[in-house]
Amino acid sequence: MTLTTTFALLREHNACKEGYGKLAKHLGGVTKYGRDMPIPLAVILESNGLDDTIWSLSAVPLEQTAERDRIARLFACDCAESVLHIYEAAYPGDDRPRTAITTARQYAVGDAVNDQLAAAGAAAWAAVMAAAWAAAGHAARDAA
């Protein structure tokens, strides 16, 4: 499925004036293109760049929200995984964040249920909080 939006949906979701105008210019104008004509998000990426494309995920038609959520979850997993090595270098025996990422991926493709996702998220949050407290303790000790 190709995710799309429309000029009408972008306006309804309060798209910024600059990004809206840039896309309209790229597509030959709102009136010419059509307020309700689907605009593939790939076109927004080409015209406006990644930031506007990611924002445009909030303005997809209702029937595309499940696919949008799946793609967004997988993207978030990719982003988290790209920096996971930093956490694992500092806490080599703690696999809670990796487990949370794996579970979130499984959830995104329908292979995990809400309870599993919630448990993995809680475990990852606990790991993050433990790391934050440890960092705060080291900073306080160094400052003293």
Side-chain angles (χ1 to χ4, degrees):
M1 167 188 280
T2 299
L3 294 180
T4 63
T5 190
T6 64
F7 280 114
L9 285 169
L10 291 170
R11 179 72 74 199
E12 182 182 318
H13 285 84
N14 300 313
C16 70
K17 184 177 179 179
E18 297 81 21
Y20 187 90
K22 185 176 184 177
L23 180 62
K25 183 177 179 181
H26 179 78
L27 294 174
V30 176
T31 303
K32 182 178 177 188
Y33 188 83
R35 289 183 46 76
D36 295 312
M37 177 66 102
I39 306 167
L41 267 55
V43 171
I44 298 173
L45 180 62
E46 176 185 301
S47 168
N48 291 38
L50 184 60
D51 288 348
D52 282 359
T53 305
I54 291 172
W55 180 89
S56 295
L57 288 170
S58 68
V60 301
L62 188 59
E63 65 271 11
Q64 294 179 16
T65 57
E67 179 65 5
R68 178 220 35 215
D69 292 350
R70 184 187 72 78
I71 290 169
R73 281 187 182 96
L74 292 171
F75 180 67
C77 289
D78 289 346
C79 292
E81 194 169 57
S82 74
V83 296
L84 185 58
H85 67 278
I86 297 168
Y87 182 88
E88 290 179 336
Y91 303 96
D94 190 349
D95 67 346
R96 294 176 291 184
R98 181 171 294 280
T99 300
I101 293 168
T102 300
T103 305
R105 278 189 202 288
Q106 291 169 340
Y107 182 82
V109 298
D111 292 338
V113 296
N114 284 341
D115 290 347
Q116 291 170 299
L117 186 64
W125 184 250
V128 167
M129 291 307 296
W133 279 106
H138 291 301
R141 183 193 67 225
D142 292 346

